């Protein structure tokens, strides 16, 4: 466990922080999209994002090795250095209101406390090969689970800071991960085309096969009933697995050659998908089985993680260096 004081690290922030402001557009009406270009002096390589507890939005700046913070009211952006060699991928808000980051460059999980912004690294155990850390989720007991695309699944025991790692079934591919309302953890394998449930006591994973072969399960998210929604990159489907009933349902995304990257289920159980094939975000109502399309206003936006808070669905545009929101209330 490595602790870095952010104020010491960033004393010369003028050289590396890349902060800035811009004029914020008028707030969008419900169902409409609002966008901001990141006010930084160079490309950040924005990848994933997550709402912060102060009304801002965190994002991973993969190209520069920072955790970004964006303030919607003013358009201001701040970048917080995560450490030497950092290349962050995923970010979520923890139960402690801190930002938790999967940092592939450092082969570590990184915590950034909020609002004091102290950077604390939890390196993978000594001797662990490059894991290509991807995404993370907190279980019902408050421990953090994470995936590594090189073929690893691991845990940070938050109370002790101990990090443990296991080889994933079938090797390379672990990608998205989520937690159900009951605190259970599920993840998916992009290369392996399956989803898996973690035994939180042993850390072992049980594979569950989706009905579509070689579908490329990229991200997963739970709805309020504990059903697992899967975005399928190769097949262009969205699937739903009910662990209690042990059943599956699958829907093809609309359009020609859809590519489903991210999936997120909001507080109303509306399913949201990043659809790269048509450069759009889709919402899906499981009750009516109908999709609604939100075309992106720029070419090649490449929306990756989708996360939100009540009434807001936030989108990182990795291809354009923008952040967008769809307000649903």
């Amino acid at each position: 466990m490595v602790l870095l004081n952010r104020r010491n690290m960033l004393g010369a922030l003028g050289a590396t922080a890349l902060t800035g402001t811009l004029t914020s557009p008028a707030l969008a009406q419900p169902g409409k999209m609002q966008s901001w270009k990141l006010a930084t002096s160079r490309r950040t390589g924005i990848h994933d994002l997550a709402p912060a507890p102060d009304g801002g939005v965190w994002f991973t700046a993969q190209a520069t090795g920072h955790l970004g913070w964006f303030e919607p009211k003013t358009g201001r952006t701040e970048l917080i250095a995560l450490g030497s060699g950092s290349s962050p991928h995923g970010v979520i808000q923890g139960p402690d209101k801190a930002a938790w980051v999967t940092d592939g460059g450092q082969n570590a999980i990184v915590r950034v406390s909020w609002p004091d912004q102290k950077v604390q690294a939890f390196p993978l155990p000594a001797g662990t090969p490059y894991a290509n850390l991807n995404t993370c989720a907190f279980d019902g007991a408050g421990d953090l689970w994470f995936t590594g695309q090189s073929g690893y699944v691991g845990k940070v025991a938050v109370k002790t800071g101990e990090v443990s790692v296991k080889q994933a079934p079938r090797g390379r591919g672990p990608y998205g991960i989520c937690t159900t309302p009951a605190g259970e953890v599920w993840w998916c394998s992009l290369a392996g085309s399956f989803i898996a449930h973690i035994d939180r006591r042993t850390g072992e994973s049980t594979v569950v096969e989706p009905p579509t072969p070689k579908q490329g399960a990229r991200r997963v998210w739970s709805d309020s009933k504990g059903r697992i929604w899967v975005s399928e990159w190769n097949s262009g489907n969205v699937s739903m697995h009910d662990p209690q009933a042990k059943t599956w349902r699958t829907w093809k995304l609309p359009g020609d050659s859809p590519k489903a990257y991210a999936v997120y289920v909001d507080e109303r159980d509306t399913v949201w998908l990043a659809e790269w094939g048509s450069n759009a975000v889709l919402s899906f109502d499981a009750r009516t089985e109908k999709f609604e399309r939100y075309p992106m206003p720029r070419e090649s936006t490449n929306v990756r993680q989708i996360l939100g808070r009540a009434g807001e669905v936030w989108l990182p545009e990795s291809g354009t260096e923008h952040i967008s929101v769809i307000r649903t209330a």
Side-chain angles (χ1 to χ4, degrees), residues 239-302:
S239 291
M240 182 268 287
H241 174 60
D242 187 332
Q244 289 189 333
K246 302 186 186 310
T247 57
W248 283 88
R249 295 197 66 190
T250 300
W251 296 265
K252 187 75 172 185
L253 272 58
D256 298 329
S257 302
K259 304 284 283 185
Y261 192 109
V263 62
Y264 165 69
V265 184
D266 70 15
E267 75 280 1
R268 299 178 179 180
D269 273 350
T270 299
V271 181
W272 295 85
L273 298 136
E275 203 286 271
W276 283 33
S278 64
N279 192 38
V281 171
L282 305 176
S283 64
F284 178 70
D285 187 333
R287 294 164 298 182
T288 63
E289 300 187 44
K290 291 184 178 180
F291 290 92
E292 185 172 353
R293 184 172 182 270
Y294 296 80
M296 300 303 293
R298 288 159 291 281
E299 295 291 331
S300 302
T301 50
N302 297 351

Side-chain angles (χ1 to χ4, degrees), residues 126-185:
T128 303
Y130 172 65
N132 193 7
L133 291 170
N134 200 279
T135 47
C136 57
F138 281 91
D139 68 15
D143 289 326
L144 184 80
W145 295 85
F146 57 86
T147 57
Q149 209 173 165
S150 297
Y152 298 94
V153 176
K155 182 180 81 167
V156 179
V158 173
K159 289 182 180 179
T160 65
E162 180 184 2
V163 182
S164 56
V165 176
K166 287 185 176 293
Q167 291 187 336
R170 305 184 190 176
R172 187 175 64 89
Y175 209 92
I177 193 168
C178 72
T179 306
T180 70
E184 296 299 315
V185 182

Side-chain angles (χ1 to χ4, degrees), residues 30-83:
K32 300 295 183 180
M33 189 181 300
Q34 182 181 9
S35 301
W36 299 261
K37 183 172 176 58
L38 290 175
T40 57
S41 61
R42 59 189 169 107
R43 178 179 172 273
T44 69
I46 180 174
H47 200 282
D48 284 9
L49 56 62
D54 56 8
V57 179
W58 292 313
F59 63 91
T60 49
Q62 197 169 71
T64 63
H66 294 81
L67 173 70
W69 177 78
F70 167 73
E71 185 177 57
K73 290 182 179 180
T74 64
R76 184 166 67 92
T77 303
E78 180 179 354
L79 298 183
I80 302 155
L82 297 179

Side-chain angles (χ1 to χ4, degrees), residues 92 135-148 152-156 169 174-189 194-208 220-223 226-229 241 243:
I92 59 171
T135 47
C136 57
F138 281 91
D139 68 15
D143 289 326
L144 184 80
W145 295 85
F146 57 86
T147 57
Y152 298 94
V153 176
K155 182 180 81 167
V156 179
Y175 209 92
I177 193 168
C178 72
T179 306
T180 70
E184 296 299 315
V185 182
W186 289 77
W187 59 273
C188 63
S189 174
F194 62 81
I195 68 172
H197 175 246
I198 294 177
D199 182 328
R200 292 187 285 147
R201 183 180 59 84
T202 66
E204 299 293 338
S205 297
T206 300
V207 170
V208 178
V220 286
W221 207 263
S222 174
D223 64 18
R227 301 177 301 184
I228 308 303
W229 291 84
H241 174 60

